[in-house]
Amino acid sequence: MLKMMIVGATSAIAQETARCFAADGASFFLVARSQEKLETLKNDLIVRGANDVYCFALDLNEFERHRELVDAAIQAMNGLDSVIIAHGTLTDQRRAEEDFEYALQELNTNAISVILLLTIISNHFEEQRKGSIAVISSVAGDRGRGSNYIYGTAKAAVSTYLQGLRNRMAKAGVNVLTVKPGFVDTPMTADVKKNFLFASPEKVGKDIYEAMKNKRDILYTPWFWMGIMMMIRNIPERIFKRLNM
Amino acid sequence: MATIIKHYRSWGRFPKSTPKQVIPVQWRSELPDFNAIEGTVLPFGYGRTYGDVCLNNGGTLLDTTFLNRMLAFDEENGIVCVEAGVSLEDIVSFIVPRGWFLPVTPGTKYVSVAGAIANDVHGKNHHSAGTFGCFVTRFELVRSSGERLICSPDENTELFKATIGGLGLTGLITWAEFRLKPIPSRLIDVERIRFENLGEFYEIDDESVEDYEYTVSWVDAMATGEHLARGVYMRGRHFDPPLPSNGHLSLPEVRVPFDLPSVLLNKFTLKAMSSGFYGLNFRKESRSIEHINPYFYPLDSIKDWNKGYGTRGFLQYQFCVPDKDRKAVREISKTIANSGEGVFLTVFKRFGDLESPGMLSFPRPGITYALDFPNTPTLENLLSRLDDMVLEAGGRLYPAKDARMSARHFQAFYPNWQEFARYVDPKFSSSFWRRVTGETAC
């Protein structure tokens, strides 16, 4: 059975994706900051059919503990086949423009911690010549916008890193999936007024599950974001810079 | 599920209401600090009650749909323990392949477990099983004082009874445990029998209630004279022996993508639809084997079907009356049929005498009648007449479906409402509760 590590397991999207794999009887190694929340997720996944669930409480910004984390996952499940990286914070753009420390912390959480962790994981997968990696990036990384470019910068870094990693890993038979969700109705976006562009975490989670099974490279979810982002990317900069986005 | 839009509206989309704020509740370990919230709060799940029971105009809603984890499942004994916002759909898709089913189910799966408790929902098996609340073994109730109470038939008994059917007013349910029932297969053996009038309904009903677990009728409420309350009687039971199971049977999803213009809904189109249900059953009797999903949840395959009523919304009117002499049921049916109001999808069913623990629980032995009316300017004339007739017959209206009954009627329908009010959390309130108790403050 599949042995899967989920980093940022308490995110609503990760939780829904995990449920799909749980129904198939996968084993899980869940990582998030709160042990208490992890225990809740563990119960849920076991009821839904998971084989085994292990929990590991960690703040991913403790970079020096990444290796310990990966070793613990491999040891607990006696191997590792698949990794989903879903942790992140929605950056307060205004604050990040004023507060240097905050901006750095946001970039660390949303970009650097992902890249460093994947460095360890990808070497392991390359060596075992199999594995699957899925990372939640964002449509926000497709083009910088005045309203959230610190978050967008971090996601763009992750997306670019994943392109390169995919290129390298393809030779080792390791699949790398970049997930670009649009607007998702999660507690993270509770303050945002909902419109027809919002998708449920359940729908997004299912899309990710299927894309991983089908070894896709890039997933826009829901699908229509591919079209939206293609248009947004193609607006000439001299026009784009005048828009309020 | 496809893309969703969150509205924090009720299913009947009437009355219109705006909460001051919505606070998502995602973790049982991180509940909001009630005392820091100004005004009143009310838990909100999937918004499937029809009127204003789930609304808190000007106040705060606690969105519980992120509390959606399963906590435990005892496959041996059929007991499930889940967080408050887990939907019945989630539970059904999980338990049916394992040989279990909901002990009682309403006509939609898209309700939360906490909502099913708060409205003490009933289903086609009320006459043989009672309400959902009869199967609840315990739950956690968080009061605004911060107190976390385990409520069960033996522990905090009074709050247990007040919370079942308590319309979300007694505090926040965070998790609940309830009993399931074993099923021999995923199929229901259904018989449909046409009846020409109310007398025939009673004949069929009398011979069915003992032997059939599920009974319900569709009635052509617009038919008059000798066809008064003609309709189709549907009785069913779990199909046994089981057929070989071959995974999920699923129907393609149809969705009403936008509001239909209200002009499409008039007396003539409704009459055609209403008698159409009757006419569809052109044979006097028929029998079929159906999958659990289309049988229990026929409208769930049409997402957002409420939009079919247009932007004016609609009102569902559900009441129950004792029917020892059957006179009240006949008189009420006549009043509806002769009123000239359009009505669509009328459901008729006998309630049994199994008592719910719920203090404010709706079902009482007799006949229940659920009618969907498009919201027209003249409708209120008919409904206020019906309110009086129901009251006189010793019946009552169903709060979960109500958007308009007067405080006077509510208090007469539920004479123990003041006893119930003692258990209402001081921080909790709803548009409905303020309306029927005559409170104005929010």
Short mmCIF file of all heavy atoms in Angstrom, two decimals, chain B residues 14 270 309 312-317 335-336 339-344 371-387 403-404:
data_model
loop_
_atom_site.label_atom_id
_atom_site.label_comp_id
_atom_site.label_asym_id
_atom_site.label_seq_id
_atom_site.Cartn_x
_atom_site.Cartn_y
_atom_site.Cartn_z
N PHE B 14 -35.96 32.65 1.51
CA PHE B 14 -36.87 33.64 2.07
C PHE B 14 -36.98 33.36 3.56
O PHE B 14 -37.15 32.20 3.92
CB PHE B 14 -38.25 33.52 1.39
CG PHE B 14 -39.28 34.44 2.00
CD1 PHE B 14 -39.40 35.75 1.54
CD2 PHE B 14 -40.09 34.01 3.04
CE1 PHE B 14 -40.34 36.60 2.11
CE2 PHE B 14 -41.02 34.86 3.61
CZ PHE B 14 -41.14 36.15 3.15
N LEU B 270 -47.79 24.95 -12.67
CA LEU B 270 -47.76 24.17 -11.44
C LEU B 270 -48.80 23.08 -11.44
O LEU B 270 -48.57 21.96 -11.01
CB LEU B 270 -47.98 25.08 -10.22
CG LEU B 270 -46.77 25.91 -9.85
CD1 LEU B 270 -47.12 26.91 -8.78
CD2 LEU B 270 -45.64 25.01 -9.36
N TYR B 309 -37.33 27.99 -8.35
CA TYR B 309 -38.46 28.83 -7.95
C TYR B 309 -38.21 30.31 -8.20
O TYR B 309 -39.03 31.14 -7.85
CB TYR B 309 -38.77 28.63 -6.47
CG TYR B 309 -39.46 27.32 -6.18
CD1 TYR B 309 -38.75 26.21 -5.77
CD2 TYR B 309 -40.83 27.22 -6.33
CE1 TYR B 309 -39.38 25.02 -5.50
CE2 TYR B 309 -41.47 26.02 -6.07
CZ TYR B 309 -40.74 24.93 -5.65
OH TYR B 309 -41.37 23.75 -5.40
N ARG B 312 -37.70 35.10 -6.17
CA ARG B 312 -38.64 35.41 -5.10
C ARG B 312 -38.63 34.34 -4.02
O ARG B 312 -39.19 34.50 -2.96
CB ARG B 312 -40.07 35.52 -5.65
CG ARG B 312 -40.36 36.86 -6.29
CD ARG B 312 -41.83 37.00 -6.56
NE ARG B 312 -42.36 35.83 -7.24
CZ ARG B 312 -43.38 35.86 -8.10
NH1 ARG B 312 -43.98 36.98 -8.38
NH2 ARG B 312 -43.81 34.77 -8.66
N GLY B 313 -38.04 33.19 -4.36
CA GLY B 313 -37.98 32.12 -3.38
C GLY B 313 -39.32 31.40 -3.26
O GLY B 313 -40.24 31.64 -4.04
N PHE B 314 -39.39 30.52 -2.30
CA PHE B 314 -40.63 29.80 -2.10
C PHE B 314 -40.79 29.50 -0.62
O PHE B 314 -39.87 29.69 0.18
CB PHE B 314 -40.64 28.52 -2.92
CG PHE B 314 -39.62 27.50 -2.50
CD1 PHE B 314 -39.98 26.39 -1.76
CD2 PHE B 314 -38.30 27.65 -2.87
CE1 PHE B 314 -39.03 25.46 -1.38
CE2 PHE B 314 -37.35 26.72 -2.49
CZ PHE B 314 -37.72 25.62 -1.75
N LEU B 315 -41.96 29.08 -0.28
CA LEU B 315 -42.23 28.76 1.11
C LEU B 315 -42.64 27.31 1.18
O LEU B 315 -43.49 26.86 0.42
CB LEU B 315 -43.39 29.61 1.62
CG LEU B 315 -43.06 31.09 1.87
CD1 LEU B 315 -44.32 31.91 1.91
CD2 LEU B 315 -42.31 31.22 3.18
N GLN B 316 -42.02 26.59 2.08
CA GLN B 316 -42.55 25.27 2.30
C GLN B 316 -43.40 25.34 3.56
O GLN B 316 -43.06 26.04 4.52
CB GLN B 316 -41.47 24.21 2.44
CG GLN B 316 -42.16 22.83 2.50
CD GLN B 316 -41.26 21.65 2.34
OE1 GLN B 316 -40.75 21.14 3.31
NE2 GLN B 316 -41.10 21.18 1.11
N TYR B 317 -44.51 24.67 3.52
CA TYR B 317 -45.45 24.70 4.63
C TYR B 317 -45.64 23.27 5.09
O TYR B 317 -46.18 22.45 4.34
CB TYR B 317 -46.76 25.31 4.15
CG TYR B 317 -47.76 25.61 5.25
CD1 TYR B 317 -47.65 26.77 6.00
CD2 TYR B 317 -48.81 24.74 5.52
CE1 TYR B 317 -48.56 27.06 7.01
CE2 TYR B 317 -49.73 25.02 6.53
CZ TYR B 317 -49.60 26.18 7.26
OH TYR B 317 -50.50 26.47 8.25
N THR B 335 -59.42 23.14 1.65
CA THR B 335 -59.07 24.56 1.69
C THR B 335 -57.91 24.87 0.75
O THR B 335 -57.91 25.86 0.03
CB THR B 335 -58.71 24.97 3.13
OG1 THR B 335 -59.79 24.60 3.98
CG2 THR B 335 -58.45 26.45 3.24
N ILE B 336 -56.93 23.97 0.75
CA ILE B 336 -55.77 24.18 -0.13
C ILE B 336 -56.18 24.07 -1.60
O ILE B 336 -55.87 24.94 -2.41
CB ILE B 336 -54.66 23.15 0.18
CG1 ILE B 336 -54.12 23.36 1.59
CG2 ILE B 336 -53.52 23.27 -0.84
CD1 ILE B 336 -53.31 22.20 2.14
N SER B 339 -58.19 27.00 -2.87
CA SER B 339 -57.64 28.34 -2.67
C SER B 339 -57.19 28.97 -3.97
O SER B 339 -57.07 30.18 -4.08
CB SER B 339 -56.44 28.28 -1.73
OG SER B 339 -55.36 27.63 -2.39
N GLY B 340 -56.88 28.14 -4.98
CA GLY B 340 -56.37 28.68 -6.23
C GLY B 340 -54.88 29.00 -6.19
O GLY B 340 -54.30 29.43 -7.17
N GLU B 341 -54.21 28.77 -5.05
CA GLU B 341 -52.76 28.98 -5.00
C GLU B 341 -52.06 27.83 -5.71
O GLU B 341 -52.50 26.68 -5.62
CB GLU B 341 -52.27 29.03 -3.54
CG GLU B 341 -52.64 30.29 -2.80
CD GLU B 341 -51.96 31.54 -3.34
OE1 GLU B 341 -50.91 31.41 -4.00
OE2 GLU B 341 -52.49 32.64 -3.11
N GLY B 342 -50.98 28.16 -6.42
CA GLY B 342 -50.21 27.11 -7.05
C GLY B 342 -49.44 26.34 -5.98
O GLY B 342 -49.01 26.92 -4.99
N VAL B 343 -49.30 25.06 -6.16
CA VAL B 343 -48.52 24.28 -5.20
C VAL B 343 -47.82 23.16 -5.95
O VAL B 343 -48.34 22.61 -6.92
CB VAL B 343 -49.41 23.75 -4.04
CG1 VAL B 343 -50.65 23.10 -4.58
CG2 VAL B 343 -48.64 22.80 -3.16
N PHE B 344 -46.62 22.90 -5.55
CA PHE B 344 -45.79 21.95 -6.27
C PHE B 344 -45.20 21.00 -5.24
O PHE B 344 -44.85 21.43 -4.15
CB PHE B 344 -44.70 22.74 -6.99
CG PHE B 344 -43.66 21.89 -7.66
CD1 PHE B 344 -44.05 20.87 -8.52
CD2 PHE B 344 -42.32 22.11 -7.44
CE1 PHE B 344 -43.11 20.09 -9.15
CE2 PHE B 344 -41.36 21.33 -8.07
CZ PHE B 344 -41.76 20.33 -8.94
N LEU B 371 -46.04 21.08 1.82
CA LEU B 371 -46.38 21.69 0.53
C LEU B 371 -45.35 22.74 0.17
O LEU B 371 -44.92 23.50 1.04
CB LEU B 371 -47.75 22.38 0.62
CG LEU B 371 -48.91 21.53 1.10
CD1 LEU B 371 -49.48 22.12 2.37
CD2 LEU B 371 -49.98 21.44 0.04
N ASP B 372 -44.98 22.81 -1.10
CA ASP B 372 -44.09 23.87 -1.58
C ASP B 372 -44.91 24.89 -2.35
O ASP B 372 -45.52 24.56 -3.36
CB ASP B 372 -43.04 23.29 -2.55
CG ASP B 372 -41.88 22.67 -1.81
OD1 ASP B 372 -41.92 22.62 -0.57
OD2 ASP B 372 -40.93 22.23 -2.48
N PHE B 373 -44.91 26.11 -1.87
CA PHE B 373 -45.63 27.18 -2.57
C PHE B 373 -44.64 28.20 -3.11
O PHE B 373 -43.80 28.69 -2.36
CB PHE B 373 -46.53 27.95 -1.59
CG PHE B 373 -47.69 27.17 -1.05
CD1 PHE B 373 -47.65 26.68 0.26
CD2 PHE B 373 -48.82 26.98 -1.81
CE1 PHE B 373 -48.74 25.99 0.78
CE2 PHE B 373 -49.91 26.30 -1.28
CZ PHE B 373 -49.87 25.80 0.01
N PRO B 374 -44.77 28.58 -4.39
CA PRO B 374 -44.02 29.76 -4.82
C PRO B 374 -44.52 30.96 -4.02
O PRO B 374 -45.69 31.04 -3.68
CB PRO B 374 -44.38 29.91 -6.30
CG PRO B 374 -44.98 28.61 -6.69
CD PRO B 374 -45.56 28.00 -5.47
N ASN B 375 -43.61 31.87 -3.73
CA ASN B 375 -43.94 32.97 -2.84
C ASN B 375 -44.72 34.07 -3.58
O ASN B 375 -44.15 34.97 -4.14
CB ASN B 375 -42.63 33.52 -2.29
CG ASN B 375 -42.87 34.56 -1.22
OD1 ASN B 375 -43.97 34.69 -0.71
ND2 ASN B 375 -41.83 35.29 -0.90
N THR B 376 -46.06 33.97 -3.58
CA THR B 376 -46.89 34.97 -4.27
C THR B 376 -47.47 35.95 -3.25
O THR B 376 -47.52 35.65 -2.06
CB THR B 376 -48.06 34.30 -5.00
OG1 THR B 376 -48.93 33.72 -4.01
CG2 THR B 376 -47.59 33.21 -5.95
N PRO B 377 -47.90 37.10 -3.71
CA PRO B 377 -48.45 38.11 -2.78
C PRO B 377 -49.71 37.63 -2.05
O PRO B 377 -49.98 38.08 -0.94
CB PRO B 377 -48.78 39.30 -3.70
CG PRO B 377 -48.03 39.07 -4.95
CD PRO B 377 -47.82 37.61 -5.09
N THR B 378 -50.49 36.73 -2.67
CA THR B 378 -51.76 36.32 -2.04
C THR B 378 -51.60 35.11 -1.14
O THR B 378 -52.56 34.70 -0.47
CB THR B 378 -52.79 35.98 -3.13
OG1 THR B 378 -52.19 35.05 -4.03
CG2 THR B 378 -53.23 37.21 -3.88
N LEU B 379 -50.41 34.51 -1.15
CA LEU B 379 -50.23 33.25 -0.44
C LEU B 379 -50.53 33.35 1.05
O LEU B 379 -51.11 32.44 1.65
CB LEU B 379 -48.80 32.74 -0.66
CG LEU B 379 -48.45 31.42 -0.01
CD1 LEU B 379 -49.31 30.30 -0.57
CD2 LEU B 379 -46.97 31.09 -0.24
N GLU B 380 -50.16 34.47 1.63
CA GLU B 380 -50.30 34.61 3.08
C GLU B 380 -51.75 34.43 3.55
O GLU B 380 -52.01 33.91 4.63
CB GLU B 380 -49.71 35.95 3.53
CG GLU B 380 -49.71 36.19 5.04
CD GLU B 380 -49.06 35.07 5.87
OE1 GLU B 380 -48.10 34.44 5.40
OE2 GLU B 380 -49.55 34.82 6.99
N ASN B 381 -52.70 34.86 2.70
CA ASN B 381 -54.12 34.68 3.05
C ASN B 381 -54.43 33.22 3.34
O ASN B 381 -55.05 32.87 4.33
CB ASN B 381 -55.04 35.14 1.92
CG ASN B 381 -54.86 36.61 1.63
OD1 ASN B 381 -54.40 37.35 2.49
ND2 ASN B 381 -55.19 37.03 0.41
N LEU B 382 -53.98 32.37 2.42
CA LEU B 382 -54.23 30.94 2.58
C LEU B 382 -53.50 30.40 3.81
O LEU B 382 -54.09 29.69 4.63
CB LEU B 382 -53.78 30.19 1.33
CG LEU B 382 -53.76 28.66 1.46
CD1 LEU B 382 -55.17 28.10 1.67
CD2 LEU B 382 -53.10 28.01 0.25
N LEU B 383 -52.23 30.76 3.92
CA LEU B 383 -51.44 30.16 4.99
C LEU B 383 -51.95 30.56 6.38
O LEU B 383 -51.97 29.74 7.30
CB LEU B 383 -49.95 30.52 4.84
CG LEU B 383 -49.29 30.03 3.55
CD1 LEU B 383 -47.79 30.30 3.59
CD2 LEU B 383 -49.54 28.56 3.29
N SER B 384 -52.39 31.80 6.53
CA SER B 384 -52.86 32.16 7.87
C SER B 384 -54.17 31.45 8.19
O SER B 384 -54.44 31.12 9.34
CB SER B 384 -52.95 33.67 8.05
OG SER B 384 -53.64 34.24 6.97
N ARG B 385 -54.94 31.16 7.15
CA ARG B 385 -56.15 30.35 7.39
C ARG B 385 -55.76 28.94 7.82
O ARG B 385 -56.35 28.36 8.73
CB ARG B 385 -56.98 30.27 6.10
CG ARG B 385 -58.18 31.20 6.10
CD ARG B 385 -58.97 31.03 4.84
NE ARG B 385 -59.90 29.91 4.90
CZ ARG B 385 -60.49 29.40 3.81
NH1 ARG B 385 -60.23 29.90 2.61
NH2 ARG B 385 -61.33 28.39 3.93
N LEU B 386 -54.75 28.42 7.13
CA LEU B 386 -54.30 27.07 7.47
C LEU B 386 -53.74 27.02 8.89
O LEU B 386 -53.98 26.05 9.63
CB LEU B 386 -53.25 26.58 6.47
CG LEU B 386 -53.73 26.34 5.04
CD1 LEU B 386 -52.57 25.90 4.15
CD2 LEU B 386 -54.84 25.30 4.99
N ASP B 387 -52.99 28.06 9.28
CA ASP B 387 -52.44 28.10 10.64
C ASP B 387 -53.56 27.87 11.66
O ASP B 387 -53.43 27.08 12.60
CB ASP B 387 -51.81 29.47 10.95
CG ASP B 387 -50.54 29.73 10.17
OD1 ASP B 387 -49.99 28.76 9.61
OD2 ASP B 387 -50.11 30.89 10.12
N ALA B 403 -41.13 30.10 7.80
CA ALA B 403 -40.55 31.44 7.66
C ALA B 403 -41.53 32.50 8.12
O ALA B 403 -41.27 33.68 7.99
CB ALA B 403 -40.17 31.67 6.20
N ARG B 404 -42.68 32.12 8.64
CA ARG B 404 -43.71 33.14 8.81
C ARG B 404 -44.72 32.93 9.93
O ARG B 404 -45.54 33.80 10.16
CB ARG B 404 -44.47 33.27 7.49
CG ARG B 404 -44.78 31.90 6.89
CD ARG B 404 -46.01 31.81 6.09
NE ARG B 404 -47.18 32.25 6.76
CZ ARG B 404 -47.90 31.51 7.59
NH1 ARG B 404 -47.53 30.27 7.91
NH2 ARG B 404 -48.98 31.98 8.13
#
